[in-house]
Coordinates of all heavy atoms in Angstrom, one line a residue:
A325 N -16.1 -6.2 18.9 CA -14.7 -5.7 18.6 C -13.7 -6.6 19.2 O -12.6 -6.9 18.7 CB -14.5 -4.3 19.0
E326 N -13.9 -7.1 20.5 CA -13.0 -7.9 21.2 C -12.7 -9.2 20.4 O -11.6 -9.8 20.6 CB -13.5 -8.3 22.6 CG -13.5 -7.1 23.5 CD -13.8 -7.5 24.9 OE1 -14.0 -8.7 25.2 OE2 -14.0 -6.6 25.8
N327 N -13.6 -9.7 19.6 CA -13.4 -10.9 18.8 C -13.2 -10.7 17.3 O -13.2 -11.6 16.5 CB -14.6 -11.8 19.0 CG -14.8 -12.2 20.5 OD1 -13.8 -12.6 21.2 ND2 -16.0 -12.1 21.0
D328 N -13.1 -9.4 16.9 CA -13.0 -9.1 15.5 C -11.5 -9.3 15.1 O -10.6 -8.6 15.7 CB -13.4 -7.7 15.2 CG -13.4 -7.3 13.7 OD1 -12.3 -6.9 13.3 OD2 -14.4 -7.5 13.1
I329 N -11.2 -10.1 14.1 CA -9.9 -10.4 13.7 C -9.1 -9.2 13.3 O -7.9 -9.1 13.5 CB -9.9 -11.6 12.7 CG1 -8.4 -12.0 12.5 CG2 -10.5 -11.1 11.4 CD1 -8.3 -13.3 11.6
N330 N -9.7 -8.3 12.5 CA -9.0 -7.2 12.0 C -8.7 -6.1 13.1 O -7.6 -5.6 13.1 CB -9.9 -6.5 10.9 CG -9.9 -7.3 9.7 OD1 -8.9 -7.9 9.2 ND2 -11.2 -7.5 9.1
V331 N -9.7 -5.9 14.0 CA -9.4 -5.0 15.1 C -8.3 -5.5 16.0 O -7.4 -4.8 16.3 CB -10.7 -4.8 16.0 CG1 -10.4 -4.0 17.2 CG2 -11.8 -4.1 15.1
Q332 N -8.3 -6.8 16.3 CA -7.3 -7.4 17.1 C -5.9 -7.4 16.4 O -4.9 -7.2 17.1 CB -7.7 -8.8 17.6 CG -8.9 -8.8 18.5 CD -8.8 -7.8 19.7 OE1 -7.8 -7.8 20.4 NE2 -9.8 -7.0 20.0
N333 N -5.9 -7.7 15.2 CA -4.7 -7.6 14.4 C -4.1 -6.2 14.4 O -2.9 -6.0 14.5 CB -4.9 -8.2 13.0 CG -3.6 -8.1 12.2 OD1 -3.5 -7.3 11.2 ND2 -2.6 -9.0 12.5
M334 N -5.0 -5.2 14.2 CA -4.5 -3.9 14.2 C -3.9 -3.5 15.6 O -2.9 -2.8 15.7 CB -5.7 -2.9 13.9 CG -5.4 -1.5 13.8 SD -5.6 -0.6 15.5 CE -7.4 -0.8 15.6
L335 N -4.6 -3.9 16.7 CA -4.0 -3.6 18.0 C -2.7 -4.3 18.2 O -1.8 -3.8 18.9 CB -5.1 -4.0 19.1 CG -6.3 -3.1 19.1 CD1 -7.4 -3.7 20.1 CD2 -6.0 -1.7 19.5
D336 N -2.6 -5.5 17.7 CA -1.3 -6.2 17.8 C -0.2 -5.5 17.1 O 0.9 -5.4 17.6 CB -1.4 -7.7 17.3 CG -2.3 -8.6 18.2 OD1 -2.5 -8.2 19.4 OD2 -2.7 -9.6 17.7
E337 N -0.5 -5.0 15.9 CA 0.5 -4.2 15.2 C 0.8 -2.9 15.9 O 2.0 -2.5 15.9 CB -0.1 -3.9 13.8 CG -0.3 -5.1 12.9 CD 0.9 -5.5 12.1 OE1 2.0 -5.1 12.5 OE2 0.8 -6.4 11.2
T338 N -0.2 -2.3 16.5 CA 0.1 -1.1 17.3 C 1.0 -1.4 18.5 O 2.0 -0.7 18.8 CB -1.2 -0.5 17.9 OG1 -2.1 -0.2 16.8 CG2 -1.0 0.8 18.7
E339 N 0.8 -2.5 19.1 CA 1.6 -2.9 20.3 C 3.1 -3.2 19.8 O 4.0 -2.9 20.5 CB 1.0 -4.2 20.9 CG 1.8 -4.6 22.2 CD 1.0 -5.6 23.0 OE1 0.9 -6.8 22.5 OE2 0.5 -5.3 24.1
D340 N 3.2 -3.8 18.6 CA 4.6 -4.1 18.1 C 5.3 -2.7 17.9 O 6.5 -2.7 18.1 CB 4.5 -4.8 16.8 CG 4.1 -6.3 16.9 OD1 4.1 -6.8 18.1 OD2 3.7 -6.9 15.9
I341 N 4.6 -1.7 17.5 CA 5.3 -0.4 17.3 C 5.7 0.2 18.6 O 6.8 0.6 18.8 CB 4.4 0.6 16.5 CG1 4.1 0.0 15.1 CG2 5.0 2.0 16.5 CD1 3.0 0.8 14.4
L342 N 4.8 0.2 19.6 CA 5.1 0.7 20.9 C 6.1 -0.1 21.7 O 6.7 0.5 22.6 CB 3.7 0.9 21.7 CG 2.7 1.8 21.1 CD1 1.4 1.8 22.0 CD2 3.2 3.2 21.0
A343 N 6.2 -1.3 21.3 CA 7.2 -2.2 22.0 C 8.6 -1.6 21.9 O 9.5 -1.9 22.8 CB 7.2 -3.6 21.5
Q344 N 8.9 -0.8 20.9 CA 10.2 -0.1 20.8 C 10.5 0.8 21.9 O 11.6 1.1 22.3 CB 10.3 0.6 19.5 CG 10.1 -0.2 18.2 CD 10.0 0.6 17.0 OE1 11.0 1.1 16.4 NE2 8.8 0.9 16.5
A345 N 9.4 1.3 22.6 CA 9.5 2.1 23.8 C 9.2 1.3 25.0 O 9.0 1.9 26.1 CB 8.5 3.3 23.7
N346 N 9.3 0.0 24.9 CA 9.0 -0.9 26.0 C 7.6 -0.7 26.6 O 7.4 -0.9 27.8 CB 10.1 -0.8 27.1 CG 11.5 -1.1 26.6 OD1 11.7 -2.1 25.9 ND2 12.5 -0.3 26.9
V347 N 6.7 -0.4 25.8 CA 5.3 -0.2 26.2 C 4.4 -1.2 25.4 O 4.5 -1.3 24.2 CB 4.8 1.3 26.0 CG1 3.3 1.4 26.2 CG2 5.6 2.2 26.8
E348 N 3.5 -1.8 26.1 CA 2.5 -2.7 25.5 C 1.1 -2.1 25.7 O 0.9 -1.3 26.6 CB 2.6 -4.1 26.1 CG 2.3 -4.2 27.5 CD 2.5 -5.6 28.1 OE1 3.3 -6.4 27.5 OE2 1.9 -5.9 29.1
V349 N 0.2 -2.6 24.9 CA -1.2 -2.2 25.0 C -1.8 -2.9 26.1 O -1.7 -4.2 26.2 CB -2.0 -2.4 23.7 CG1 -3.4 -2.1 23.9 CG2 -1.4 -1.5 22.6

Side-chain angles (χ1 to χ4, degrees):
E326 290 186 4
N327 299 313
D328 185 271
I329 187 171
N330 291 312
V331 171
Q332 295 306 314
N333 179 250
M334 180 269 294
L335 290 173
D336 289 343
E337 295 277 10
T338 303
E339 186 169 67
D340 288 345
I341 296 171
L342 296 178
Q344 299 172 83
N346 297 316
V347 172
E348 63 184 24
V349 175

